[in-house]
Amino acid sequence: MPHKPRLILGLGLASIAGATAPGPTDLVFRHGGIYTLDAASSVAAALAVKGGYISTIGQDADVEASIGVDTKVIDLQGRMVMPGLIDSHMHVLQGGLGLLKCQEPSGVLQDAARGLVNLPPPTEAARLEACRAALRLLRQAGIATFQEASAGPDAFTLFGQLRASGELTARAYFDYSIEPPALGDDVEGLVADTVAAIKAMNDNSTVGPKPTMKWQAVKGFLDGVITYPARTAAVVDPYWNPVNDSETDGGEWAPDPSTMNEPYWSQEVLSATLEGLFLAGIDAQLHVDGDLAVRYGLNAAQAFREKHPDRKRGGFRLGLAHEELSHQDDWARFAELGVDPIMSFQWAQPSSFYIPSTFATLGDYRQGNLQAHRRIEEAGRPIVYGSDWPIDPLDEFLALKAAVTRSGDPTNPNSPASFGAPYDGIFPGDPISRESALRAITINGARFLRADASIGSLAVGKLADLVVLEKNYFRAPEEEIGRQRVLLTLVGGEIVFATDDAQSELGVTPTSPNLSPQAGGSQLNKRASGGFDQRGLSKEGVSAVSRLRRRGQCAHKHHD
C-alpha cells in the first residue's frame, strides 16, 4: 500500500529522530522539509553531508554540532528536499544527439525502419558533445542516476572518457542490447558472448560518491508499439480496423484478426536466454508494449522460478518496460514472480498518440487496461519509472503529474494538453498516490538497479544524492505538480547543478557550469532556444521557433 508521511506537532510534517555521525561536516542543509522516502516516509528539517555521504539527518538542532569552520551551511527557507531522481529507462546518447540537431520530421518510420535511412554517422567528437549536453540536461532535471536502456561498446567508450575527465555527473547504468538468435541452438552462444561482453565493461567497484559505470543487465525488444497506424505491438486480442472508411467519418470499428503480431522472440528462446543470463548473474529489461508481449516476459520469469525453485527470491531482476497495454489476468503475476513494471507515466495523459485512432483500434473494453499503474500496484508490485527520453521531452514532474491525475497541464508546453481540446481531458484508468509516483522515480528504481543500500532514499550512511525543489511536491495543488523546477542537484555530496537564482539565494556554486564550453558553448545555447525543450518560451514563442524551422532557418544551417 502507498505510504503516507507521519505528522509531528509543530511542524505539520513527518519527522525522524536525529541520527548523527561525529565530527565537522562538509555541507549542511537546515530549515527545510527533507522528505527521506525511507520505509516510514519520514520528513526531517536538516541534513549534513561528509565525504559524499549523509552524516546527520534530523531536526535543526541535530546538525549544530556538525557545523565546523569550513562547513557550507545552506538555509533552505522551508524548501523541499528529496532524493535525487532515478530514471530507469532512457536513451541518453540518442537524446543528447537530438539536443544538438534540429527537428526535421517528414514522415513516420516504424520501429527499426529508421535503419533504412542512410545518414552519415556522427563523429566521435559530436557524440562526446552529445553526451555532455545530455548530462547537462539530466543535472537540470534533478536526475542523479540513469539507466541507458539500450547500449553497446560505443556508450562504454564515450561515457568512459567523460568519467576519466571528471565530467560524468550522474550514476550510469547500461543495458547491453541483444537480439534474438536466428536458431534456438544459438542461445548458448548468445548467452556466453553477452556475459563476456558485460563483465568486460562493468565496473565492479562499490558504489561511492563519484559516479561509476555499471553494466549488469541486457535489453531486448519483444514487440513494437500499440500506436495506430503502426500497431506493431503484440496483443492478446486483435486490433480493430475502421469499417467502411469510418476512420475519417467517426463510424464503426471492428476486430480484424489479420492485425495480430507475434512477439519478436519466441517464448522458448526467450525463456532459455533469460535462464542462461540469470544463472550467470545478469539481469534483464525487456521492451513490452502490448499485453501479449507482457505475458511472454512474465512467462519467462515463471519458467525460471519453476525450474530453479532453490534460487533465492531476489536472485534476478527482470524489468518489463512500458506495458502500455496489459491484461488483467497478468497484473498479480508481477508481484507473484518478483518482476518489475518499468512504466512511463507521461503517457497517461491524452495525446495525439491515442486520440482518436489508437483508442478506437483497441476498442472500448481495453481502455481500462492502458497504463495500468494502479492495478499492478494494487496487486502487490510497486511501479518503477522510466521516461524513455527522448521519445518525449524530459519533464519528470509533468510525468509525475500525469501519474497522479491521469491528465496533462495546459500551461506546460511539454504537455499535449497545451494544445487544447481534446488533449486537455482525463486519460482512462485510475491514478496512483503522489508518494507512490515519487517512490517510482527514487527508491523503487534504486531497488531495481540493486543500489537501494546506497541511493534512492535519504538516511545516514547513504550517498548524498538529493535535489532541492522550488515548490513542495506534496503540498502543491494538483494542477501545479507539473510546473516544478529543480533548484539544486547534489550527487555524492557535490553540487552539480544550481539555477542562477539558487546560486545567489542559497549561496552555492555548482562544480559543473550550467553551460560549459565542453558542452558545445554557443552552439548548444542556440539549439536550446528558450531553455531545453523550450521551457522558457511562451506558446507563441514555441510556435515562432517552429515556423523558423519549417522555413529552414536553423541555427545549425540544416535545411528541410
Side-chain angles (χ1 to χ4, degrees):
M1 294 296 292
H3 298 270
K4 294 182 178 179
R6 295 182 288 119
L7 298 181
I8 183 171
L9 293 176
L11 284 181
L13 301 171
S15 180
I16 56 175
T20 306
T25 55
D26 305 318
L27 184 62
V28 163
F29 294 90
R30 59 183 179 183
H31 305 149
I34 299 174
Y35 288 74
T36 66
L37 294 184
D38 63 7
S41 297
S42 307
V43 179
L47 177 149
V49 177
K50 184 176 183 178
Y53 294 86
I54 298 171
S55 58
T56 309
I57 190 166
Q59 303 311 305
D60 288 331
D62 298 316
V63 300
E64 291 301 321
S66 66
I67 298 175
V69 174
D70 297 322
T71 302
K72 175 63 181 176
V73 179
I74 297 176
D75 185 349
L76 293 166
Q77 303 175 41
R79 294 184 179 91
M80 178 176 171
V81 173
M82 59 168 283
L85 306 186
I86 299 174
D87 193 319
S88 298
H89 185 108
M90 59 194 324
H91 305 279
V92 178
L93 177 55
Q94 179 185 347
L97 288 168
L99 291 174
L100 302 177
K101 295 187 295 187
C102 290
Q103 302 169 4
E104 300 165 342
S106 58
V108 175
L109 296 175
Q110 295 182 9
D111 302 334
R114 71 185 65 183
L116 300 176
V117 180
N118 187 19
L119 296 175
T123 64
E124 181 171 327
R127 296 197 303 274
L128 271 174
E129 182 185 356
C131 292
R132 293 185 178 110
L135 288 170
R136 177 199 160 199
L137 180 56
L138 266 58
R139 296 193 295 270
Q140 178 176 310
I143 297 171
T145 300
F146 69 88
Q147 182 163 227
E148 172 70 56
S150 186
D154 187 43
F156 174 76
T157 300
L158 294 171
F159 284 96
Q161 290 184 54
L162 296 181
R163 182 190 177 192
S165 62
E167 298 176 83
L168 184 61
T169 52
R171 306 188 189 284
Y173 288 76
F174 299 89
D175 290 343
Y176 184 75
S177 184
I178 62 172
E179 299 285 344
L183 299 171
D185 293 340
D186 295 332
V187 168
E188 186 175 339
L190 171 64
V191 170
D193 292 344
T194 300
V195 171
I198 289 177
K199 291 189 174 180
M201 293 186 289
N202 184 43
D203 183 341
N204 282 320
S205 64
T206 303
V207 176
K210 288 294 183 183
T212 57
M213 298 168 54
K214 296 290 186 182
W215 294 74
Q216 57 193 35
V218 298
K219 166 68 178 298
F221 287 82
L222 263 61
D223 67 345
V225 295
I226 61 171
T227 311
Y228 186 89
R231 300 186 301 183
T232 51
V235 292
V236 173
D237 294 340
Y239 293 101
W240 291 28
N241 268 337
V243 177
N244 298 325
D245 296 323
S246 62
E247 180 187 356
T248 57
D249 63 17
E252 181 183 359
W253 291 58
D256 183 350
S258 69
T259 62
M260 299 289 284
N261 304 308
E262 288 295 321
Y264 301 154
W265 293 67
S266 73
Q267 184 69 75
E268 180 183 7
V269 170
L270 176 66
S271 297
T273 301
L274 291 186
E275 178 188 15
L277 293 170
F278 292 159
L279 292 175
I282 304 298
D283 297 328
Q285 182 173 179
L286 304 175
H287 170 111
V288 291
D289 207 57
D291 51 7
L292 181 59
V294 173
R295 183 167 291 174
Y296 267 44
L298 292 169
N299 289 347
Q302 181 172 338
F304 185 83
R305 296 284 188 206
E306 292 175 351
K307 191 171 181 180
H308 302 279
D310 55 326
R311 305 285 290 192
K312 64 180 181 178
R313 180 69 174 175
F316 68 84
R317 298 284 192 278
L318 174 60
L320 301 185
H322 308 316
E323 288 105 348
E324 283 203 83
L325 179 69
S326 56
H327 196 281
Q328 62 270 20
D329 292 348
D330 292 321
W331 292 336
R333 298 180 71 199
F334 285 90
E336 293 167 0
L337 298 169
V339 173
D340 287 299
I342 303 177
M343 308 188 81
S344 302
F345 292 153
Q346 70 277 8
W347 296 343
Q349 54 181 329
S351 71
S352 59
F353 290 116
Y354 282 103
I355 298 173
S357 295
T358 299
F359 280 146
T361 199
L362 295 174
D364 291 344
Y365 76 101
R366 281 188 287 203
Q367 291 190 21
N369 291 18
L370 289 168
Q371 311 296 344
H373 315 142
R374 182 168 172 178
R375 299 306 180 195
I376 295 172
E377 180 188 62
E378 287 179 335
R381 195 66 178 179
I383 307 300
V384 176
Y385 172 77
S387 67
D388 204 24
W389 179 67
I391 299 302
D392 292 90
L394 188 60
D395 194 331
E396 307 290 47
F397 283 90
L398 174 61
L400 295 177
K401 199 270 185 186
V404 303
T405 68
R406 307 290 281 195
S407 63
D409 183 348
T411 71
N412 186 328
N414 291 329
S415 174
S418 66
F419 294 100
Y423 310 125
D424 54 357
I426 304 297
F427 195 89
D430 297 316
I432 59 177
S433 72
R434 294 194 193 199
E435 180 149 353
S436 291
L438 209 60
R439 285 180 172 272
I441 199 171
T442 53
I443 189 62
N444 295 353
R447 190 175 297 116
F448 176 69
L449 295 174
R450 300 181 179 270
D452 49 308
S454 302
I455 59 175
S457 62
L458 304 178
V460 169
K462 281 198 166 187
L463 288 162
D465 291 4
L466 59 83
V467 295
V468 178
L469 302 181
E470 182 178 44
K471 302 175 183 178
N472 189 306
Y473 165 82
F474 286 104
R475 296 178 178 174
E478 279 193 348
E479 63 271 16
E480 296 182 10
I481 294 175
R483 305 169 199 170
Q484 183 68 268
R485 259 201 325 159
V486 172
L487 300 181
L488 180 149
T489 303
L490 197 76
V491 177
E494 181 177 320
I495 300 172
V496 298
F497 170 78
T499 60
D500 292 342
D501 49 340
Q503 291 182 45
S504 59
E505 291 177 21
L506 302 179
V508 298
T509 302
T511 57
S512 299
N514 292 353
L515 183 61
S516 66
Q518 291 84 2
S522 59
Q523 182 186 23
L524 180 60
N525 194 33
K526 290 177 181 177
R527 173 59 184 88
S529 299
F532 273 109
D533 293 310
Q534 303 170 352
R535 293 185 191 184
L537 293 180
S538 64
K539 292 181 184 179
E540 292 76 15
V542 172
S543 178
V545 170
S546 298
R547 289 196 301 272
L548 286 173
R549 285 180 178 163
R550 282 198 294 272
R551 293 202 300 264
Q553 294 172 288
C554 162
H556 302 290
K557 298 182 171 53
H558 297 161
H559 299 281
D560 296 337

